[in-house]
């Protein structure tokens, strides 16, 4: 690969041209169609990807399980360094091509060999990781706030629906109570020499037997 294609990438800021040429020899050209998934969150690390043309979308899942976009790398950016530098061997986010993308991939083992002889690559990678984590945290916090607001809205709607249902049930019980009362005699019946009394006391709004 022509070193000039990657010389302006943020990964090589301040790096000697000879080291950039070594990285170019280690890199593999790749291309992705719009919507194509490069890798998923938790997938084994493939290496460090340098974006030449196009845009990528990096997403992570929030605490509620929602998919949140945390970054949109474009030409001059690189991704995949977190797993390579920290040695996690898995990707921390899902990457999809937002547009047609041309890029080059430095495989995990080759990137490790490059960083062993050029500490500046590690410095640039760590700087990028810190900035990416800050952006990711901000995006995830915003998503959490949206989730909280949405939960509060749903609870409010459900509470209002239950209150409406409760008012309806109360009205229907009041109607049933009046109907039940109308079934009772209006006054006690009197018989010569006999005194009878009765009282109807339902335990709640209605009684089971009359």
């Amino acid at each position: 690969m022509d070193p000039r294609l990657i010389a302006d990438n943020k990964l090589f800021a301040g790096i000697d041209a000879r080291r950039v040429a070594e990285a170019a020899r280690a890199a593999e050209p790749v291309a992705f169609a719009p919507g194509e998934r490069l890798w998923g969150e938790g997938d084994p690390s493939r290496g460090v990807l340098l974006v030449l043309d196009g845009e990528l979308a990096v997403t992570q899942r929030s605490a509620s399980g929602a998919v949140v976009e945390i970054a949109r790398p474009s030409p001059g950016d690189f991704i995949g360094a977190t797993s390579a530098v920290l040695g996690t061997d898995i990707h921390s986010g899902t990457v999809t091509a937002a547009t047609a993308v041309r890029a080059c991939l430095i495989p995990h083992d080759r990137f490790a060999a490059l960083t062993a002889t050029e500490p500046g690559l590690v410095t640039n990678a760590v700087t990028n990781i810190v900035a990416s984590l800050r952006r990711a945290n901000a995006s995830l916090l915003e998503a959490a706030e949206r989730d909280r607001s949405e939960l509060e809205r749903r609870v409010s709607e459900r509470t209002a629906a239950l209150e409406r249902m409760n008012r309806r049930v109360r009205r229907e019980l009041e109607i049933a109570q009046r109907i039940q009362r109308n079934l009772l005699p209006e006054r006690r019946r009197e018989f010569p020499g006999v005194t009878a009394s009765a009282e109807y006391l339902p335990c709640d709004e209605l009684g089971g037997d009359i």
Side-chain angles (χ1 to χ4, degrees), residues 2-42:
D2 188 341
R4 292 174 295 181
L5 294 175
I6 62 173
D8 293 333
N9 193 280
K10 295 174 184 176
L11 180 62
F12 301 110
I15 302 299
D16 182 82
R18 184 170 56 87
R19 297 297 188 188
V20 176
E22 290 178 6
R25 287 193 294 271
E28 302 170 354
V30 290
F32 306 96
E36 185 175 352
R37 178 167 138 161
L38 282 65
W39 58 69
E41 185 175 350

Side-chain angles (χ1 to χ4, degrees), residues 52-202:
L52 303 179
D53 289 304
E55 277 191 344
L56 300 170
V58 183
T59 60
Q60 285 185 344
R61 288 197 174 274
S62 67
S64 67
V67 176
V68 180
E69 184 173 307
I70 60 172
R72 187 158 280 248
S74 56
D77 292 326
F78 62 96
I79 59 174
T82 302
S83 56
V85 172
L86 300 183
T88 58
D89 295 329
I90 60 172
H91 289 297
S92 57
T94 296
V95 180
T96 306
T99 66
V101 171
R102 282 194 318 115
C104 63
L105 179 72
I106 304 177
H108 196 287
D109 56 341
R110 298 180 193 174
F111 184 74
L114 290 170
T115 56
T117 57
E118 179 50 71
L121 291 175
V122 177
T123 300
N124 290 343
V126 169
T127 300
N128 182 76
I129 290 169
V130 171
S132 297
L133 288 175
R134 286 175 177 166
R135 289 193 299 268
N137 287 341
S139 298
L140 292 171
L141 284 173
E142 289 176 5
E145 181 61 26
R146 288 195 299 270
D147 289 343
R148 185 184 66 80
S149 299
E150 177 64 13
L151 179 60
E152 289 178 350
R153 184 188 66 79
R154 291 185 182 182
V155 169
S156 178
E157 288 181 353
R158 183 62 59 85
T159 300
L162 290 174
E163 288 175 348
R164 290 193 297 271
M165 183 179 295
N166 184 58
R167 287 194 295 269
R168 177 181 173 183
V169 170
R170 295 289 301 180
R171 286 196 301 270
E172 292 178 353
L173 285 173
E174 289 171 0
I175 293 171
Q177 188 181 62
R178 288 196 295 271
I179 293 172
Q180 203 169 60
R181 282 178 177 169
N182 289 337
L183 295 176
L184 298 174
E186 294 183 3
R187 61 182 181 178
R188 291 180 300 181
R189 305 184 70 177
E190 297 180 358
F191 301 94
V194 177
T195 301
S197 63
E199 189 171 8
Y200 182 75
L201 295 173

